[in-house]
Amino acid sequence: MSTEPTPPSKPSRAQLRVRDMVGAMVFLVVIALIGGGVRSCSFAPAGPTIDPAAGPTVDAPAQLAEFARASTFPLRVPTLPDGWRANSTDRGPVADGGTAVRVGYLAPSGRYLRLVQSDAAEEGLVRTEAGGPLPGTGVVQAGGLQWVVYQADGGEPFRVTTSPDGVRWLVTGSADDADFQTLADAVARGRVLPAAAG
């Protein structure tokens, strides 16, 4: 004698309401979290932008003065126009020897640039900052100096020059050429902090 399986019983109307309400609440929470997470960013074909008012702010001149006390090479404090904001600093070793002092800046456009000052060789500095070797793609003029551009296809440019003090400067990030020119001019005109170590 064959027995047919009994179909599952239909949930009561009260159970459906509670389940549906919980599902709707979870959905709304997910949407709120996603919306809140991307609120300070916007789509831009040339690269990501960040709300210049959002995120951390650091006192770059004070940090650079602190780094200069232990530095074997002079550092520059860029004189940037209103609307620029430093949001990160650090100091660390470079591949094949040397030290890099980094300051990250947000331009008024919302795009990011990182200025690196170093006593390292150009090749080692580019490899450290880019995470590997990059091909040279040309030369640009900025801040009264000639900068060699290194860039992978579709990647951000890494522009490198040697300052009149013999210090290697590297600028990279998502900002456009106008913002790069502004930062290059600012560091070239910047106040010199003499090396205090060694």
Side-chain angles (χ1 to χ4, degrees), residues 68 71-75 91 99-101 117-119 167 193-197:
S71 180
T72 57
F73 56 94
L75 297 174
R91 180 177 187 270
T99 301
V101 172
Q117 304 180 64
S118 179
D119 59 348
V167 177
L193 301 172

Side-chain angles (χ1 to χ4, degrees), residues 104-171:
Y105 292 97
L106 283 180
S109 64
R111 298 195 186 278
Y112 176 81
L113 281 176
R114 181 171 75 247
L115 168 66
V116 185
Q117 304 180 64
S118 179
D119 59 348
E122 187 167 319
E123 183 182 342
L125 183 60
V126 171
R127 191 163 67 251
T128 298
E129 297 305 307
L134 288 177
T137 59
V139 172
V140 295
Q141 297 289 328
L145 297 168
Q146 181 172 284
W147 299 69
V148 178
V149 181
Y150 296 87
Q151 188 172 15
D153 286 343
E156 293 176 347
F158 290 76
R159 305 169 183 99
V160 186
T161 193
T162 302
S163 77
D165 311 306
V167 177
R168 201 89 57 224
W169 294 340
L170 179 149
V171 174

